[in-house]
């Protein structure tokens, strides 16, 4: 490593207004990891998360027992799905209260919202869903299942796996038969950041609804769901929200669709009066109608800690650092890795990329194993991509340099 690179990393870290947030993470729990470059897949735990989970078990669950559902210091657990939803809406999504709920996994919430939109479309003679070939697998698989279940046609847009979906492509695909169009805001592979506002307009001009998957954008890029006029959105809380493995997802249902769209998994917890225990399902009039069964309360404890940290940092500052991190990684890749046949498969323009970048070389599957053995932890995505997920609150510029230098050592010898 040249001192010039080390100096630049040190300068960037010294000038980083968010640098101190890194100290809030439980870094010492992974002493063998010198560079964690996968915060876009599973965020690191905060120290406060360990304390809060312990406190929750002892004081709230252990102390309140069943009474916790209706009374505790943050409101009863019954209210957590919408209280935490509102907080995620405010801090992360650009969504006013009453439109976001925490429940299920992204996959399950995605199913519910797509089914609701498809059924509403079918009632108006709209029988197509527009989607793209490079969307995250779970989205594509759920769409295939719903297409078979409801007899709708999927209209696939072929997306460039090194870039992503564009408004022009969407304009050419939507029409009077479109019920719904759904895409990822930040592409899981390339990191491409879609023009969500522009694409939302194009879809709605065709009379259809739009559903954004925000898994890779929530907590890394600025979102403005209300002002973009988004209809539906889902996302997970274990990536940039640091909620922990399998943490529950969030769903956004714009106020104007509440009581109009109907999700298919009608359970007692989405009922207007769950404890009436009466005959016949009647959905809650608000966003709670997206809930089906008992909410995953324990899983929400770490999410609350993560969102509270994001609120203190501010999403605008997070995005600013994210752009600098990815730019630093791209500059290093050009200088240190490109001479060894490594290609960049992420948009170059800052406005067109999210918080992670993808590098490609044919032997990267084996290279990833070597990196992990060296304490450098990115992830591998078939066929030949190493993804570097640079979570702004927990990743330092020095860590990015260490990771890329380790990668350079391996690729220059291979
Ligand atoms: C991570 C991710 C998911 C994950 O869905 P789960 O139900 O939590 O497994 C879905 N969509 C996208 C775009 C993702 O990046």
């Amino acid at each position: 490593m040249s001192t010039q690179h080390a100096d630049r990393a040190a300068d960037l870290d010294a000038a980083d207004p968010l640098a101190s947030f890194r100290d809030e993470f439980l870094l010492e729990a992974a002493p063998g990891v010198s560079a964690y470059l996968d915060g876009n897949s599973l965020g690191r735990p905060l120290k406060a998360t360990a304390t809060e989970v312990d406190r929750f078990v002892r004081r709230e669950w252990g102390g309140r027992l069943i009474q916790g559902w209706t009374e505790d210091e943050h409101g009863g657990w019954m209210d957590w799905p919408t209280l935490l939803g509102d907080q995620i809406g405010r801090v992360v999504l650009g969504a006013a209260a009453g439109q976001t709920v925490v429940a299920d996994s992204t996959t399950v919430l995605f199913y519910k919202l797509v089914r609701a939109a498809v059924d509403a479309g079918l009632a108006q003679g709209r029988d197509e869903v527009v989607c793209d070939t490079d969307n995250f697998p779970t989205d594509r698989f759920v769409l295939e299942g719903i297409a078979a279940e409801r007899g709708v046609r999927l209209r696939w847009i072929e997306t460039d796996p090194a870039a992503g979906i564009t408004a022009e492509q969407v304009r050419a695909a939507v029409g009077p038969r479109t019920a719904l169009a759904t895409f990822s805001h930040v592409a899981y592979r390339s990191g491409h950041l879609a023009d969500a506002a522009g694409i939302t307009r194009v879809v709605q001009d065709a009379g259809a609804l739009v559903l954004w998957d925000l898994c890779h954008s929530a907590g890394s890029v600025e979102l403005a769901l209300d002002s973009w006029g988004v209809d539906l959105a889902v996302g997970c809380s274990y990536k940039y929200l640091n909620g922990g493995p399998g943490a529950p997802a969030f769903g956004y249902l714009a106020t104007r669709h509440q009581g109009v769209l109907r999700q298919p998994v009608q359970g007692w917890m989405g009922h207007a009066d769950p404890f009436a225990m009466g005959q016949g399902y009647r959905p809650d009039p608000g966003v709670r109608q997206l809930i089906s069964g008992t909410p995953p309360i324990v899983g929400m404890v770490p999410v609350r800690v993560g969102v509270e940290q994001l609120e203190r940092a501010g999403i605008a500052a997070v995005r600013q650092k994210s752009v600098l991190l990815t730019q630093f990684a791209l500059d290093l890749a050009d200088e240190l890795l490109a001479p060894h046949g490594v290609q960049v498969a992420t948009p170059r323009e800052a406005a067109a990329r999210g918080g992670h970048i993808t590098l490609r070389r044919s032997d990267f599957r084996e290279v990833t194993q070597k990196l992990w053995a060296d304490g450098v932890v990115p992830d591998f995505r078939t066929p030949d991509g190493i993804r570097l997920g640079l979570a702004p609150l927990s990743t330092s510029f020095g860590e990015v340099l260490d990771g890329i230098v380790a990668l350079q050592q391996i690729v220059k010898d291979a």
Side-chain angles (χ1 to χ4, degrees):
M1 173 192 329
S2 76
T3 52
Q4 166 217 338
H5 295 124
D7 288 349
R8 185 162 171 224
D11 288 348
L12 285 163
D13 277 321
D16 173 13
L18 299 181
S20 66
F21 283 91
R22 182 173 151 82
D23 303 331
E24 297 181 14
F25 289 87
L26 254 180
L27 306 179
E28 64 272 24
V33 173
S34 61
Y36 185 57
L37 305 175
D38 211 7
N40 63 321
S41 187
L42 177 64
R44 284 190 188 255
L46 283 118
K47 291 172 189 160
T49 302
T51 319
E52 273 300 294
V53 169
D54 185 74
R55 196 191 62 83
F56 178 83
V57 171
R58 292 174 196 283
R59 295 253 306 272
E60 300 193 39
W61 174 13
R64 305 305 302 160
L65 299 170
I66 195 173
Q67 299 165 101
W69 283 107
T70 46
E71 47 176 80
D72 86 331
E73 62 215 64
H74 305 283
W77 302 330
M78 282 297 278
D79 296 326
W80 282 27
T82 48
L83 287 177
L84 182 54
D86 286 348
Q87 193 185 4
I88 292 174
R90 184 180 74 247
V91 175
V92 178
L93 305 179
Q99 306 178 97
T100 310
V101 79
V102 176
D104 306 321
S105 61
T106 302
T107 303
V108 171
L109 271 181
F110 182 76
Y111 173 81
K112 293 180 185 181
L113 287 173
V114 171
R115 263 289 305 263
V118 161
D119 290 353
L122 284 171
Q124 303 171 8
R126 294 174 173 266
D127 61 356
E128 289 187 358
V129 175
V130 171
C131 50
D132 75 289
T133 52
D134 200 46
N135 203 347
F136 192 80
T138 211
D139 301 49
R140 291 184 278 110
F141 301 158
V142 166
L143 289 169
E144 284 174 23
I146 289 177
E149 195 175 39
R150 306 303 284 162
V152 295
R153 173 165 171 231
L154 301 180
R155 187 180 279 276
W156 294 98
I157 297 172
E158 291 277 341
T159 27
D160 178 348
I165 190 80
T166 66
E168 292 67 44
Q169 288 175 306
V170 176
R171 191 172 292 113
V174 294
R177 294 184 68 171
T178 313
L180 173 75
T182 182
F183 312 102
S184 283
H185 185 212
V186 171
Y188 81 102
R189 207 192 296 269
S190 68
H192 174 265
L193 175 61
D195 171 12
I199 291 174
T200 295
R201 231 174 298 120
V202 166
V203 172
Q204 291 174 345
D205 284 350
L209 301 177
V210 73
L211 192 174
W212 287 102
D213 184 330
L214 306 174
C215 281
H216 275 100
S217 44
S220 79
V221 301
E222 291 174 274
L223 295 166
L225 299 190
D226 286 352
S227 67
W228 297 339
V230 167
D231 298 294
L232 312 162
V234 293
C236 66
S237 64
Y238 53 80
K239 291 173 181 164
Y240 295 103
L241 304 188
N242 302 316
F250 61 83
Y252 167 92
L253 177 63
T255 306
R256 63 187 176 280
H257 297 305
Q258 296 174 13
V260 180
L261 298 184
R262 278 291 282 268
Q263 65 94 352
V265 188
Q266 303 185 163
W268 69 310
M269 285 287 166
H271 191 280
D273 186 2
F275 291 97
M277 308 265 176
Q279 298 299 320
Y281 179 77
R282 190 162 45 85
D284 182 279
V287 73
R288 283 192 84 88
Q289 65 197 257
L290 291 184
I291 300 179
S292 299
T294 302
I297 300 300
V298 180
M300 292 186 208
V301 174
V303 181
R304 278 209 325 225
V305 178
V307 175
E308 186 274 329
Q309 188 199 37
L310 259 174
E311 183 158 30
R312 281 185 285 118
I315 198 77
V318 166
R319 170 63 174 161
Q320 263 176 20
K321 179 170 176 188
S322 170
V323 168
L324 292 177
L325 282 166
T326 50
Q327 190 58 56
F328 185 48
L330 289 170
D331 292 348
L332 291 173
D334 287 340
E335 213 178 313
L336 304 179
L337 304 176
H340 305 292
V342 175
Q343 288 172 2
V344 171
T346 293
R348 292 284 177 173
E349 202 192 323
R353 66 172 191 265
H356 66 272
I357 68 166
T358 293
L359 305 172
R360 300 176 58 186
R361 205 174 87 156
S362 60
D363 60 350
F364 267 4
R365 187 186 294 274
E366 302 86 73
V367 169
T368 305
Q369 291 311 311
K370 289 185 188 153
L371 282 171
W372 281 33
D374 289 349
V376 172
V377 184
D379 67 15
F380 174 76
R381 285 292 176 267
T382 57
D384 57 5
I386 282 181
R387 259 188 345 176
L388 308 179
L390 310 175
L393 294 175
S394 63
T395 311
S396 67
F397 292 91
E399 203 177 3
V400 174
L401 177 60
D402 289 351
I404 289 184
V405 167
L407 181 53
Q408 183 200 26
Q409 293 304 321
I410 296 171
V411 293
K412 86 175 179 347
D413 297 339

